[in-house]
Amino acid sequence: PTVAVIGLTMRRLSLCRGFISTNLCLSERKPQPPKLNPGDVEYKYMRGSGPGGQAMQKCSNAVVAKHIPTGIQSRSHETRSVLRNKSLALASLEYKVDDHYRGELSAKSILDERSRKKKLSKMRKTKKKTPKIERAPIREYDDE
């Protein structure tokens, strides 16, 4: 594969069945938080609440994941599957612990900053496209 420099970003070019595809390098991909040590995470399974009736309230499918060294907790009760809720709670806990330790350099902060910049860029483009409306000056009338 050949590497081409486009602006300040690097993209990897590859030829696949006659088409050129570009794969983003690691610097442009979604940042991931570091994985937690399985021994540092404690899981509790509890009964869910909310809409769903008896099926939700009888089954212990809500998962609370706790990072023992920091005491940070994450709760997930989005699906009826315990395994899916466990993976969602762990993913959320990884982002929270990463934010706790690294602050502004955490994966969540980087993603938030990217989305903020993207939104700001969209607003600027929209502002450039929309024409300015000139309003007529307000005339004052005398009551005579």
Side-chain angles (χ1 to χ4, degrees):
T2 60
V3 176
V5 177
I6 303 171
L8 296 177
T9 61
M10 290 183 61
R11 296 178 186 264
R12 194 172 301 276
L13 301 175
S14 61
L15 188 61
C16 179
R17 295 184 188 178
F19 296 100
I20 295 178
S21 66
T22 59
N23 296 328
L24 300 177
C25 290
L26 290 176
S27 62
E28 295 181 11
R29 290 188 184 157
K30 182 178 175 183
Q32 297 293 323
K35 298 294 179 191
L36 296 176
N37 184 5
D40 291 344
V41 181
E42 179 182 276
Y43 297 100
K44 291 182 186 174
Y45 304 97
M46 49 186 30
R47 291 190 179 155
S49 61
Q54 187 177 12
M56 281 293 198
Q57 294 154 1
K58 279 180 72 176
C59 302
S60 298
N61 56 5
V63 178
V64 177
K66 180 179 179 181
H67 188 243
I68 297 169
T70 59
I72 297 174
Q73 291 185 353
S74 177
R75 184 172 192 259
S76 177
H77 181 55
E78 295 182 20
T79 66
R80 292 174 64 179
S81 167
V82 176
L83 292 175
R84 180 74 178 135
N85 283 335
K86 185 177 176 181
S87 67
L88 290 172
L90 181 62
S92 174
L93 185 66
E94 286 172 347
Y95 276 104
K96 286 182 179 182
V97 170
D98 184 38
D99 193 42
H100 174 75
Y101 281 122
R102 295 178 22 180
E104 291 181 5
L105 299 176
S106 68
K108 185 173 185 271
S109 297
I110 291 170
L111 289 173
D112 290 344
E113 183 67 19
R114 281 185 190 171
S115 65
R116 188 186 68 80
K117 285 182 179 178
K118 193 172 186 178
K119 185 177 180 181
L120 189 63
S121 174
K122 275 187 177 181
M123 286 174 50
R124 285 183 186 148
K125 287 178 184 176
T126 305
K127 200 172 184 181
K128 282 182 183 178
K129 287 181 183 179
T130 55
K132 292 183 180 178
I133 301 172
E134 294 184 19
R135 298 177 185 241
I138 300 172
R139 297 188 328 192
E140 296 181 15
Y141 296 101
D142 294 331
D143 293 333
E144 289 185 22

